[in-house]
Amino acid sequence: VFAQQQDHTIVPAKVITRVGTAAVGQWLYISRGQADGMQAGYPVIYGPGLLFGVIAKVHESYSEVRLITNDDSIVQGQTQVAKPTTGLLIGQFGTSLSMAYILKDQTITVGDVIVTNGQDNFIPAGLVIGTVEQVVNEPSELFQSAIVSPMVRYGNNAIVSVVVPKAL
């Protein structure tokens, strides 16, 4: 569905191995590399447009994928509503994400779906990241934040896809 609406090529890839704890799997190695035109920064999706991770390092025949729940992962996102609320999604402990730097005057509620906003290099708008589980709005803080549960369940995802921009 996502590929039909956007100007991108979807390249399927096999998951070769996972690196990290068995329960979490912080990194994936996929069967596409430089020989297949992969580049660092390309998003890796599962199913019909669920953001799974981002290619961090490319080798000749395989690539290393940083999962969005990895502590080193940062992706820009927004709520999927008419007047979107934006923030930075930062991986948390390999299990969830924190949506940080949400302006106080913006509305965000439990259950909101969070998608990419197209502001990251190579990552198009509209990839589904997850749903808001909890909103944190401390009066003493400059910004509010939210805990986001990823839509993708990491487990036996044997086939993923890389989103490659056609304009390159």
Side-chain angles (χ1 to χ4, degrees):
V1 177
F2 168 78
Q4 295 165 347
Q5 300 168 351
Q6 305 290 335
D7 193 26
H8 297 86
T9 303
I10 304 297
V11 179
K14 286 182 185 160
V15 173
I16 300 170
T17 188
R18 300 172 202 298
V19 179
T21 62
V24 182
Q26 294 283 309
W27 293 83
L28 292 179
Y29 284 49
I30 61 169
S31 65
R32 299 287 182 170
Q34 283 176 331
D36 304 295
M38 298 296 110
Q39 283 190 37
Y42 283 2
V44 177
I45 62 172
Y46 183 73
L50 304 178
L51 184 62
F52 197 76
V54 175
I55 293 178
K57 192 170 182 183
V58 180
H59 303 270
E60 182 61 28
S61 61
Y62 69 96
S63 295
E64 299 175 32
V65 177
R66 178 187 301 116
L67 301 183
I68 59 170
T69 53
N70 186 308
D71 292 353
D72 296 331
S73 174
I74 299 175
V75 177
Q76 296 186 59
Q78 67 185 32
T79 53
Q80 196 174 28
V81 294
K83 189 178 179 210
T85 293
T86 59
L88 277 185
L89 288 127
I90 303 164
Q92 299 286 294
F93 318 112
T95 56
S96 66
L97 300 124
S98 170
M99 187 166 172
Y101 304 109
I102 303 167
L103 296 174
K104 290 273 193 175
D105 63 351
Q106 291 191 314
T107 304
I108 187 163
T109 54
V110 171
D112 282 352
V113 173
I114 306 298
V115 297
T116 55
N117 67 5
Q119 299 300 308
D120 290 292
N121 238 2
F122 303 127
I123 302 177
L127 295 177
V128 177
I129 296 171
T131 54
V132 174
E133 295 292 322
Q134 178 184 354
V135 176
V136 181
N137 193 348
E138 298 291 334
S140 60
E141 297 292 322
L142 287 172
F143 298 95
Q144 56 183 329
S145 65
I147 303 301
V148 176
S149 177
M151 203 70 88
V152 166
R153 294 287 165 244
Y154 303 108
N156 299 326
N157 316 88
I159 302 292
V160 294
S161 299
V162 181
V163 180
V164 178
K166 285 184 182 170
L168 290 181

